[in-house]
Amino acid sequence: MRSSGRKMTIRQIIVALLSFFLLTGVGGGILAAAALPMAASAGTVANAGTRVFDDLPTDIDFTKPSQQSVILAADGSHLATFYAEDRIVVASDQISPLIKQAAVAIEDERFYTHNGIDAQGLIGAAFNNFTGGRLAGGSTITQQYVKNAVIEQGRILGDSALIASATERTISRKLSEARYAIAVENKLSKDEILTGYLNLAQFGPSQWGVEAASRYFFGVSAKDVTLPQAAMIAGITQAPGKWNPITNPEEAKKRRDVVLGQMYKLDMITRDEFEQAVAVPIEDMLHVTSAPNGCAEAGISAYFCEYVVKDALNDPALGDTREERIAALYRGGIVIHTTIEPAEQQAAYDAVVASVPVDDESSINMALSSVEPGTGHIRAMVQNTNYGNPTSEAPTDMTLNLNAGMNMGGGSGFQAGSTFKIFTLMEWLKEGHGTLEQVNGTPVKFSPDSWKISCAPGARPGEAWGPGTLEGIGTGMMTVLAATKQSVNPAYGQMANRLDLCNIMDMATNLGVERGRVAMDGDAETAQIANLGLTYKMGEPLPLMPNPAAIIGTNPVTPLSMAVAMSTLAADGNRCEPQSYTKIEDSDGNVLSERKPECRQVIDAELAHRTTATLAEVVKTGATGERAQLAGGRPAAGKTGTANDDNHAWFVGYTPQLATAVWQGHHEGYVSMFNSVIKGVYHREVFGGLYPAMTFKTFMDSALADEPVKQFTRSSTDPTTIRAPRAHAKEPGDAEETPASHDDAQGAPAPSLVGMSQEDAQSAALAAGYGYVTRTESSSQPAGTVLRQIPGPGQDAAPGTRIEIWISTGN
């Protein structure tokens, strides 16, 4: 006799069969089947009869089968699917009766009459084994359910031994399986057992359960299959590779027709139904629809999807260890409800690619993050790249999230440029200074010991340093308000030199700004920061470096964190941690994790109001952010930024309802955007007030189109008269400065430039202490003549204000 595993003697098999017949006569099929393992191991009918009830298993709560997890947008629409096994568990009423009938017909025709063990099948299998035939099991659907449940538990636990024990071809395994089958029958109804089996077994080459298989082969749910489809699904499970209708259509048809024949034999279908079903060609049944697995399915939201995954894998509600959380994502059937708004996400993507298309010849990248003030909900996160690993056919595809830092699937961040002046401005106001104080906009170098860096004295430069200016906007004395509107670097150098740089960095950090880099053992930058005495945690974003150059944005920061900082200002100083999802549910709809906004007041509300009043001036005609002005008079505040050599360009801004950061540059590093051709248009320079500002406007106009126009909370002091106290405690190294008089603060009449040549008008503006910006306009006046100006001749304008000059083109 051939066998594998444990061998049974002839005597043991005879005793087992006798036990079956004897106990069937006195106690029915349950006692008979349960006695089999006892008879086989003890060799006596008496022991089987007396110990049968004690030996029935009681631990029959099988591990819940793996199934797909899904990520949903805020409106409930589908973003992505994750699975280790392509399975969708459905209720009994979501499975067609045709599938149930077909499965019973081909797998276990006496399913509704036996008690877990099919006596006829068992005797036939035992006789076959005894006579040297192929080892057979005579398994019922209940036994297969038991077997598949143990295999699934082994997959989930990664226990190969458990899987092997459930699949070994031995009599002892079959007897143990039979005992569990009886116990299952005592606990569950027939429909519960059949539904469990149909959800658990493999019904396709990589599909588990009839729902996933129906969707894969036919593009329909299991409740909607036709008769021939149901027969094919039921027939495939014994050999998914052999009877795969895609790769082996002829074999699949034979198997399908066998199932249909069995259904007809058992009076489940009529002769006409049988003949019509077998006449259906396999190709007419199929509509193959693969189930995507992973974030690529999310399209323009793929990068946000990856952010959500990393966010969720840090949630202890999914498990104590990372391995448990990964298992929950790929096997747990969880549902993650995210914060992303599809309409806003689409608007963001459209705005970004309208500025810099995907695969534009410039190779310039753009990224946008948008956050809701007061909640921290990420409402949009996009970039102008296709998601995926780069190939020779698609070399610019990437999985790198340009909006996030390394700890969340992103990179090292990008130099913030002049957007970082916001935090110098805030520290300036916090220290009691005003926006109408005058500072010197003329470039000057400060001695190393003039910088106050209390947290890291070693960060002082080795030689005199001071920021230069890239814009022809005039020099000399100007108000802080004018310096902010025109983004005057030297003026901000004067301001920062009177402050503690550590406080400026702390201000940015408190509002939510993060560097992209993370702390890593053995990393040179990490070691440098440690040597400066700055505190950090390994694996967390590195702290902002408090060196003088940081005031003009040399620290690389992430777009998402800049959006968070802007949302803090929009929320009156209430910082909310960025959140990518609101809750996670299990497959039954039970809430595993619910996220409430995590907010705290990090600055005084009045400081936020004063900062907003100043930044609102940046988004006005004649200021660097004028292209960011929103439609319908909707108020906005923000700041432009351009790093040295136009390596990076930014606009960060907000309304009371939404905060957004836009970055533009080359993700590979410090690559100048000078002389770029974007969408076929040549640009000598690419700066924050150009594409980033325009992208901000386009997106915000669309995202807020259905929202009411809300005003910012006004500062308790009008922004045009905010000024510092007369007394000022001068710190060592402060530049000499004369506080502005009240009359000076109100501004002086702007010079009349209309009618002058462009060169003379520019010289006159500079001589009067103003900057200038030129525009061109068609006119009958001679080319080069000044046609008009803002502020107009004689209108009050604070010193340092940039006068907008329109120059005739002469045609």
Side-chain angles (χ1 to χ4, degrees):
M1 180 182 70
R2 292 187 304 157
S3 67
S4 63
R6 173 178 173 168
K7 295 181 179 179
M8 293 187 70
T9 65
I10 295 175
R11 176 178 176 276
Q12 286 175 321
I13 292 179
I14 293 173
V15 170
L17 293 174
L18 287 173
S19 299
F20 174 82
F21 288 119
L22 288 171
L23 291 173
T24 297
V26 298
I30 295 178
L31 292 178
L36 284 175
M38 304 313 306
S41 59
T44 63
V45 175
N47 282 347
T50 58
R51 296 173 58 192
V52 60
F53 290 108
D54 291 338
D55 283 343
L56 278 178
T58 58
D59 181 18
I60 58 173
D61 290 328
F62 299 122
T63 300
K64 197 170 184 178
S66 297
Q67 57 179 311
Q68 296 178 356
S69 294
V70 296
I71 295 180
L72 305 178
D75 65 353
S77 59
H78 185 89
L79 288 180
T81 306
F82 292 81
Y83 57 84
E85 296 168 8
D86 184 9
R87 178 188 286 111
I88 304 170
V89 175
V90 292
S92 174
D93 61 2
Q94 297 300 301
I95 300 175
S96 169
L98 294 172
I99 291 180
K100 295 180 181 180
Q101 291 174 330
V104 169
I106 197 63
E107 293 294 330
D108 186 2
E109 64 182 79
R110 287 174 287 277
F111 173 69
Y112 289 105
T113 59
H114 65 61
N115 291 298
I117 304 300
D118 181 4
Q120 290 179 241
L122 181 64
I123 293 172
F127 181 78
N128 186 59
N129 296 336
F130 172 64
T131 57
R134 183 176 180 272
L135 186 64
S139 294
T140 63
I141 282 177
T142 311
Q143 286 176 277
Q144 292 181 57
Y145 178 42
V146 170
K147 173 185 173 181
N148 287 327
V150 176
I151 293 173
E152 178 65 6
Q153 185 180 28
R155 289 197 191 101
I156 292 173
L157 298 177
D159 189 339
S160 56
L162 186 60
I163 296 174
S165 71
T167 55
E168 61 184 0
R169 304 185 66 80
T170 63
I171 293 294
S172 59
R173 192 270 294 177
K174 295 298 294 184
L175 294 174
S176 176
E177 185 181 277
R179 294 170 60 241
Y180 270 95
I182 297 165
V184 169
E185 291 269 353
N186 284 340
K187 182 173 183 179
L188 303 177
S189 69
K190 286 291 186 180
D191 189 63
E192 288 173 327
I193 294 169
L194 182 56
T195 300
Y197 164 75
L198 293 173
N199 275 316
L200 195 57
Q202 185 175 0
F203 288 94
S206 299
Q207 289 72 39
W208 280 260
V210 294
E211 178 68 16
S214 297
R215 294 189 186 189
Y216 172 67
F217 287 119
F218 315 127
V220 300
S221 293
K223 64 182 176 62
D224 299 320
V225 296
T226 63
L227 174 58
Q229 290 172 338
M232 199 200 79
I233 286 287
I236 201 172
T237 187
Q238 290 294 334
K242 178 180 179 181
W243 292 317
N244 182 345
I246 300 170
T247 56
N248 296 305
E250 292 183 4
E251 291 296 323
K253 185 179 187 308
K254 292 177 183 178
R255 178 62 173 172
R256 180 202 68 180
D257 293 349
V258 168
V259 176
L260 289 168
Q262 185 70 0
M263 294 177 75
Y264 172 62
K265 170 190 166 185
L266 297 173
D267 291 327
M268 294 177 176
I269 58 176
T270 66
R271 182 73 186 180
D272 285 344
E273 288 173 328
F274 168 76
E275 292 177 349
Q276 290 175 16
V278 297
V280 176
I282 288 293
E283 56 270 22
D284 290 354
M285 296 167 48
L286 298 179
H287 181 69
V288 179
T289 308
S290 297
N293 189 2
C295 284
E297 179 186 6
I300 64 171
S301 299
Y303 300 99
F304 171 74
C305 172
E306 288 285 8
Y307 186 97
V308 172
V309 169
K310 289 176 173 56
D311 203 4
L313 291 181
N314 289 325
D315 194 329
L318 296 185
D320 294 331
T321 66
R322 186 170 181 82
E323 290 72 22
E324 290 175 346
R325 296 167 195 165
I326 291 174
L329 176 65
Y330 284 93
R331 293 185 178 275
I334 61 174
V335 180
I336 304 177
H337 297 265
T338 72
T339 60
I340 210 76
E341 293 287 347
E344 293 180 21
Q345 183 78 340
Q346 189 64 55
Y349 181 78
D350 291 344
V352 164
V353 298
S355 290
V356 188
V358 176
D359 293 331
D360 187 72
E361 63 178 312
S362 66
S363 299
I364 290 174
N365 300 125
M366 180 172 274
L368 181 154
S369 282
S370 190
V371 174
E372 183 177 66
T375 65
H377 290 172
I378 301 172
R379 298 263 290 268
M381 179 184 281
V382 297
Q383 59 194 62
N384 68 331
T385 61
N386 290 323
Y387 178 86
N389 294 314
T391 63
S392 56
E393 294 78 21
T396 61
D397 287 6
M398 65 175 71
T399 57
L400 183 73
N401 186 341
L402 301 179
N403 283 287
M406 292 173 65
N407 60 326
M408 295 300 285
S412 300
F414 312 105
Q415 286 189 335
S418 290
T419 61
F420 208 82
K421 289 173 181 169
I422 292 172
F423 311 110
T424 298
L425 170 67
M426 294 180 69
E427 186 62 22
W428 175 264
L429 296 174
K430 180 183 175 185
E431 289 296 309
H433 296 283
T435 58
L436 294 185
E437 277 191 55
Q438 290 200 352
V439 289
N440 195 342
T442 302
V444 62
K445 294 187 181 297
F446 300 90
S447 63
D449 59 2
S450 69
W451 297 101
K452 185 176 182 181
I453 313 177
S454 59
C455 59
R460 289 194 180 100
E463 57 186 21
W465 181 90
T469 182
L470 300 177
E471 303 177 44
I473 56 175
T475 58
M477 300 304 294
M478 63 184 65
T479 65
V480 169
L481 179 61
T484 305
K485 291 173 64 176
Q486 306 304 329
S487 199
V488 182
N489 288 348
Y492 265 81
Q494 295 280 352
M495 294 161 62
N497 191 252
R498 294 172 56 176
L499 305 169
D500 189 331
L501 298 188
C502 294
N503 291 343
I504 296 174
M505 301 306 120
D506 288 345
M507 180 68 74
T509 300
N510 288 339
L511 262 68
V513 177
E514 287 187 355
R515 294 190 62 183
R517 285 287 304 278
V518 296
M520 297 178 289
D521 279 323
D523 178 71
E525 189 168 4
T526 304
Q528 178 189 9
I529 288 176
N531 290 336
L532 292 176
L534 299 174
T535 59
Y536 62 94
K537 291 182 180 179
M538 198 63 64
E540 295 292 324
L542 293 173
L544 300 171
M545 291 286 284
N547 54 57
I551 64 175
I552 54 172
T554 56
N555 274 295
V557 300
T558 65
L560 176 60
S561 73
M562 290 297 282
V564 170
M566 295 307 97
S567 74
T568 303
L569 285 169
D572 300 332
N574 189 30
R575 170 185 167 181
C576 299
E577 298 303 315
Q579 291 190 342
S580 65
Y581 61 90
T582 56
K583 65 179 176 180
I584 302 176
E585 298 173 325
D586 66 16
S587 58
D588 296 322
N590 301 310
V591 177
L592 300 176
S593 175
E594 186 167 12
R595 275 189 162 182
K596 302 295 184 182
E598 299 176 20
C599 307
R600 67 186 188 279
Q601 195 74 26
V602 293
I603 59 169
D604 183 76
E606 176 61 16
L607 176 57
H609 300 161
R610 295 177 68 186
T611 303
T612 296
T614 305
L615 296 181
E617 296 296 310
V618 174
V619 191
K620 289 187 177 179
T621 302
T624 59
E626 64 181 350
R627 291 183 177 87
Q629 294 178 68
L630 302 184
R634 185 184 296 272
K639 184 70 184 74
T640 57
T642 309
N644 280 347
D645 298 325
D646 285 6
N647 289 330
H648 307 285
W650 294 76
F651 187 86
V652 299
Y654 54 99
T655 68
Q657 299 110 311
L658 200 59
T660 299
V662 182
W663 164 83
Q664 181 181 8
H666 293 273
H667 78 274
E668 335 50 309
Y670 300 107
V671 180
S672 175
M673 291 186 286
F674 285 155
N675 304 310
S676 292
V677 177
I678 301 175
K679 295 194 300 183
V681 178
Y682 170 78
H683 296 277
R684 187 175 67 84
E685 293 185 71
V686 178
F687 47 91
L690 187 60
Y691 285 113
M694 293 191 298
T695 303
F696 172 87
K697 170 186 170 53
T698 301
F699 165 65
M700 296 288 278
D701 280 345
S702 178
L704 298 172
D706 297 327
E707 297 290 332
V709 174
K710 288 189 176 181
Q711 303 296 323
F712 290 116
T713 302
R714 288 183 61 84
S715 167
S716 59
T717 308
D718 187 278
T720 61
T721 59
I722 295 173
R723 55 191 305 277
R726 291 287 182 177
H728 169 61
K730 189 172 180 295
E731 298 288 348
D734 275 353
E736 291 296 331
E737 181 177 291
T738 302
S741 69
H742 182 72
D743 290 339
D744 289 338
Q746 295 299 320
S752 177
L753 308 176
V754 176
M756 292 184 179
S757 68
Q758 178 177 345
E759 183 178 351
D760 289 345
Q762 292 171 347
S763 298
L766 293 176
Y770 298 92
Y772 60 84
V773 60
T774 58
R775 308 273 187 258
T776 57
E777 185 173 296
S778 297
S779 168
S780 59
Q781 296 295 317
T785 303
V786 175
L787 300 173
R788 54 193 176 92
Q789 68 181 73
I790 297 178
Q795 291 183 348
D796 281 350
T801 298
R802 188 192 305 201
I803 299 176
E804 210 167 1
I805 305 169
W806 274 262
I807 307 297
S808 172
T809 59
N811 51 32

